[in-house]
Amino acid sequence: STSNFGKIFLLFILILGAFLRLYRIEEMFTFDFDQEVAANAAYNFIKLGKLSLIGQELSFQGFFLGPLHNWIQIIPYSICNLKPDCASYFFTSTGLLSAYFLYITVKEVINQKTAMISALLYLTSSVVIGNERGPSSNYFLFPTSILMLYCLNKYYKGEKKYLIAGSFFGGLAVINFNPIFIFSLIAFFSAAIFSKKRKITVLIISLFAALANIIPLLIFNFRHQNILLNNLIQFVKEASSTENIISKPFFIVKDILLPYYNNFLFLNNNIIYEILTFCILIVGSLLFLKNRKPILIFLLIWIVFVILGFSFYSRHIPDYYFVQTLLPFIILTAYLLSKKFSIFIIVISI
């Protein structure tokens, strides 16, 4: 049956994904500043019994993440006696779990065929594998995105409590993994607010669920003369701008977003691959619009909100900031490939 085939195919690509991730991992894992910060936090807890309420300092001096990313890394470092390659094995395992939950979520949101292709794209991407071998806090934005999509789909189906859970996960990512995820959280709330079956009470509770994640930073801020609040205000003043607001979305798509998506799919900057990536994005978007399913429209809104959000951002925009749009792009690509078998053959062969 189709269901049994899907399970067998999923098992096969999970094994393939595990092989690609574990192959020469001891030689190819990275250990730079981001990994050093998490390792030091694990050492301070395991050896010295110290647990910090703040995480890594960001590129803007005096601006910190929440502590969850460092707390999570205590798990592998405590198991492996602080060996530096242990985190890579740990995140390889969580990467396979992400692929499994990606399959489950997309199967429920769209169909099994799209779910299988989505998982295949994720598990075989060299970019994803590289990120798991040298994980930073940005790594967690993808699994968080899956959880939020799953929750919003349940919300659309009438299970209102899932909006609260999705909001909590979104707020958790903004505070603990990367503040730029705020654009994804805004898109999530916008989709819920404009839903025909919205309930004000649920929306208010969801907002507080998102804000609850800021409590550890509030405690730290209170203990240190409002240092985080003052630095946040200064950051907003320096990083926000309306200069070139009309042309900047075009620049973001052309110079950052498309090369990032192209790198994910093909790991090749040749113009032919970039044109193919652009066509996939356009045709896939048109198929979503033609379908008119609210959850698919949300996936397009998700990408658009992130692009528009960065249009007001005056600082440097690295491509990895768009990892928060990787989930909608994977699903869009998989949906297109499930509809157009000839394109699927071309992409797989490349």
Side-chain angles (χ1 to χ4, degrees):
S1 66
T2 304
S3 178
N4 289 333
F5 172 77
K7 292 177 182 177
I8 295 171
F9 182 81
L10 177 62
L11 178 61
F12 170 75
I13 59 174
L14 284 173
I15 294 173
L16 174 63
F19 171 77
L20 293 174
R21 283 156 172 76
L22 294 174
Y23 178 69
R24 297 177 63 188
I25 189 172
E26 292 183 355
E27 302 172 28
M28 301 181 70
F29 82 95
T30 58
F31 191 84
D32 57 21
F33 177 75
D34 288 332
Q35 288 76 51
E36 180 186 354
V37 170
N40 282 333
Y43 175 86
N44 287 335
F45 177 76
I46 296 168
K47 298 296 184 180
L48 306 179
K50 297 179 180 179
L51 190 65
S52 176
L53 290 175
I54 61 170
Q56 182 176 340
E57 185 176 20
L58 299 176
S59 56
F60 186 85
Q61 190 173 8
F63 199 19
F64 293 84
L65 290 175
L68 186 59
H69 173 241
N70 289 344
W71 290 358
I72 291 174
Q73 300 226 40
I74 291 173
I75 299 172
Y77 281 115
S78 61
I79 294 174
C80 297
N81 195 27
L82 293 171
K83 292 181 180 179
D85 61 338
C86 204
S88 297
Y89 285 102
F90 175 76
F91 285 107
T92 289
S93 302
T94 57
L96 296 175
L97 283 175
S98 293
Y100 174 75
F101 286 115
L102 171 64
Y103 171 84
I104 296 298
T105 300
V106 177
K107 181 181 177 182
E108 184 168 320
V109 171
I110 306 179
N111 55 46
Q112 186 179 58
K113 185 186 291 187
T114 305
M116 290 189 294
I117 298 174
S118 296
L120 177 63
L121 291 173
Y122 178 79
L123 284 167
T124 57
S125 171
S126 298
V127 172
V128 172
I129 295 170
N131 289 340
E132 290 174 6
R133 286 174 171 172
S136 66
S137 59
N138 295 292
Y139 165 84
F140 290 100
L141 297 184
F142 186 80
T144 303
S145 299
I146 297 174
L147 290 171
M148 290 174 65
L149 179 62
Y150 180 85
C151 291
L152 186 64
N153 188 56
K154 287 288 190 181
Y155 173 76
Y156 278 160
K157 291 182 176 181
E159 300 184 56
K160 304 301 181 185
K161 61 185 178 183
Y162 279 91
L163 184 68
I164 301 172
S167 301
F168 175 80
F169 291 130
L172 181 143
V174 172
I175 299 301
N176 291 278
F177 305 144
N178 200 320
I180 53 97
F181 198 72
I182 187 66
F183 302 135
S184 294
L185 185 58
I186 292 172
F188 178 84
F189 270 117
S190 298
I193 290 171
F194 290 104
S195 171
K196 294 180 180 179
K197 299 179 180 179
R198 63 184 177 273
K199 287 188 177 181
I200 299 300
T201 304
V202 176
L203 290 171
I204 294 174
I205 295 174
S206 298
L207 177 61
F208 279 105
L211 293 174
N213 290 280
I214 205 171
I215 291 176
L217 292 184
L218 287 177
I219 296 174
F220 181 89
N221 183 69
F222 178 76
R223 291 177 175 176
H224 295 83
Q225 295 78 45
N226 289 327
I227 183 174
L228 297 184
L229 178 60
N230 294 333
N231 288 328
L232 175 61
I233 294 172
Q234 185 64 28
F235 172 78
V236 172
K237 288 180 180 179
E238 293 186 15
S240 57
S241 173
T242 57
E243 185 179 355
N244 300 322
I245 194 64
I246 303 299
S247 60
K248 197 166 185 179
F250 172 77
F251 157 77
I252 290 173
V253 172
K254 174 180 174 291
D255 294 342
I256 306 175
L257 187 68
L258 279 178
Y260 177 71
Y261 288 161
N262 175 64
N263 199 36
F264 167 79
L265 287 176
F266 305 115
L267 204 64
N268 192 312
N269 293 325
N270 188 288
I271 185 64
I272 295 176
Y273 294 100
E274 291 192 359
I275 292 173
L276 182 55
T277 302
F278 177 73
C279 292
I280 288 172
L281 184 60
I282 295 300
V283 177
S285 299
L286 292 175
L287 287 176
F288 273 8
L289 292 171
K290 183 179 179 181
N291 185 285
R292 295 185 179 180
K293 192 175 181 180
I295 196 69
L296 299 187
I297 303 300
F298 162 69
L299 292 174
L300 296 181
I301 292 173
W302 193 341
I303 297 175
V304 170
F305 266 54
V306 175
I307 294 171
L308 293 178
F310 281 118
S311 298
F312 293 91
Y313 188 71
S314 63
R315 296 170 68 89
H316 172 63
I317 305 173
D319 60 357
Y320 64 80
Y321 277 7
F322 286 90
V323 69
Q324 61 184 307
T325 68
L326 190 55
L327 176 63
F329 177 70
I330 288 175
I331 298 174
L332 179 149
T333 303
Y335 186 71
L336 169 62
L337 298 181
S338 71
K339 296 291 184 181
K340 307 292 182 180
F341 185 74
S342 57
I343 300 178
F344 176 76
I345 295 298
I346 293 173
V347 171
I348 293 299
S349 62
I350 292 176

